Amino acid sequence: MVNKRAGDIVQGDKTGDKPLSDIVKEYIKHKYNKPGNVYLGTVHRLDRPTSGLVIFAKTSKVLPRLNKLFLSKDIHKTYWALVKNEPQKKEDTLIHWLKKNPKNNKSKAYLKEVPDSKKAILHYKMIKKLDNYYLLEINLETGRHHQIRAQLASIGCPIKGDLKYGFDRSNKDASISLHARHIEFIHPVKKEPMSIHAPLPNDSTWNACLT
């Protein structure tokens, strides 16, 4: 389990930037003094500007089991997001159909099904009001491309720093204020319950969420 920094890519892409998976492999190799190549399986991803928990598999035996947990929705992820506007409801379930546009790498949320769209469901509740932002806690039922970003933007609550989905200015570090905060699941080998929180990024706005 790794607490990803905003800006890191989970797996290699066309940018050629060093992915988090390579950084973690080097860490494991050094910490445990492992000879040869280190195995590391990528179970899921987070968008590049997003921070928070990412699960990696350290053995080929565990990877398909973790993949199965994700497919069966037996891994529960909770996100925190700082948004610009107060949602009309303090707590709600959002249901949209998302259609991805590969040209601009963006998803659009529709209230009704359209061709090539996928159903997207999330639950949110407002847990804190800051001076200029609102802190929402989000639980996903589906895992669609840019789901949280697109669905919150569609109700007039773009995420802080998210220019692509309607926020008016970027964060200084080019992040968006979306953080994979908590993960719960039963370990597929040890059969023990796992419950892990990721510390928030260290900036004044996130810090205000904990005071």
Side-chain angles (χ1 to χ4, degrees):
M1 201 81 67
V2 176
N3 188 10
K4 183 180 99 64
R5 299 171 301 183
D8 285 341
I9 50 172
V10 174
Q11 282 186 302
D13 64 6
K14 60 186 178 183
T15 64
D17 294 340
K18 190 172 187 176
L20 184 60
S21 54
D22 283 1
I23 296 169
V24 175
K25 280 182 183 179
E26 290 174 3
Y27 171 79
I28 292 171
K29 187 177 179 70
H30 177 73
K31 181 174 182 180
Y32 298 102
N33 197 24
K34 285 188 171 250
N37 293 327
V38 171
Y39 178 87
L40 194 75
T42 302
V43 182
H44 66 116
R45 303 177 191 182
L46 288 179
D47 295 343
R48 184 165 195 164
T50 302
S51 60
L53 286 168
V54 179
I55 300 173
F56 290 103
K58 290 201 292 183
T59 68
S60 56
K61 179 183 178 182
V62 169
L63 180 60
R65 297 185 185 186
L66 286 170
N67 286 335
K68 188 177 179 181
L69 288 180
F70 268 92
L71 287 172
S72 61
K73 299 177 182 175
D74 288 324
I75 289 183
H76 305 286
K77 292 188 292 180
T78 301
Y79 293 81
W80 279 13
L82 290 166
V83 299
K84 179 180 181 179
N85 301 312
E86 183 174 6
Q88 287 188 349
K89 297 179 180 179
K90 296 284 192 288
E91 191 170 341
D92 201 7
T93 294
L94 303 182
I95 302 174
H96 293 94
W97 277 261
L98 297 189
K99 184 173 181 178
K100 181 181 176 181
N101 182 343
K103 291 181 179 178
N104 60 6
N105 191 35
K106 187 175 177 181
S107 287
K108 185 171 181 179
Y110 295 88
L111 291 174
K112 294 182 178 180
E113 188 173 7
V114 298
D116 301 318
S117 64
K118 294 181 177 179
K119 193 173 186 179
I121 304 171
L122 68 74
H123 312 279
Y124 77 81
K125 62 180 177 181
M126 193 174 83
I127 56 177
K128 196 173 182 72
K129 183 177 179 179
L130 305 178
D131 289 342
N132 299 306
Y133 305 104
Y134 300 87
L135 176 61
L136 305 184
E137 184 172 272
I138 298 134
N139 289 284
L140 294 175
E141 267 197 40
T142 54
R144 307 302 184 198
H145 176 259
H146 290 181
Q147 179 176 340
I148 297 173
R149 300 165 68 179
Q151 286 195 275
L152 291 183
S154 74
I155 63 166
C157 298
I159 295 170
K160 180 178 179 291
D162 197 356
L163 296 176
K164 180 169 280 193
Y165 286 94
F167 198 80
D168 52 9
R169 63 186 183 279
S170 61
N171 290 339
K172 289 180 181 178
D173 61 358
S175 69
I176 63 172
S177 298
L178 176 63
H179 183 71
R181 174 67 169 160
H182 181 233
I183 286 181
E184 278 188 10
F185 62 98
I186 302 297
H187 194 286
V189 176
K190 298 177 183 176
K191 304 302 180 186
E192 296 172 353
M194 308 289 290
S195 180
I196 301 162
H197 281 83
L200 297 173
N202 185 22
D203 72 38
S204 57
T205 313
W206 278 122
N207 291 341
C209 295
L210 300 176
T211 57

